[in-house]
Amino acid sequence: EGGLGAYIRNCRLRAAADDLLRLAHIGIGEIAYGAGFNSASDFTRAFRRAYGVSPRDFRGLPGAGDGAREMPPDGPHAPYVT
């Protein structure tokens, strides 16, 4: 799957992943809407497909929010480095 639509979705997912880590006080639904998704369920489905975990589980991973994790350099399908 490629093209402009996939590129835009991947950029939105990367920004949302960053927000999940930086903005722990903001709800996942609010981050989803802020990233341009039409619903929290659409966001959760896309996030799980891209990262292999739900946004809630991602936020709870060890090191989440403390700067220990780097964003994947090759888009959302690249694994996170902890």
Side-chain angles (χ1 to χ4, degrees):
E1 177 180 350
L4 182 59
Y7 173 77
I8 292 169
R9 183 179 57 254
N10 291 342
C11 288
R12 290 169 37 204
L13 286 168
R14 284 182 69 139
D18 184 51
D19 286 349
L20 285 168
L21 298 180
R22 291 183 311 106
L23 307 172
H25 61 285
I26 304 281
I28 292 171
E30 192 171 340
I31 288 174
Y33 291 116
F37 287 86
N38 293 324
S39 70
S41 61
D42 287 346
F43 170 68
T44 298
R45 191 175 313 109
F47 194 93
R48 187 185 312 269
R49 210 175 287 141
Y51 293 108
V53 296
S54 70
R56 181 176 308 225
D57 290 344
F58 177 82
R59 192 176 248 178
L61 290 173
D66 66 4
R69 184 184 0 257
E70 298 174 10
M71 295 299 290
D74 299 324
H77 296 288
Y80 272 88
V81 177
T82 57

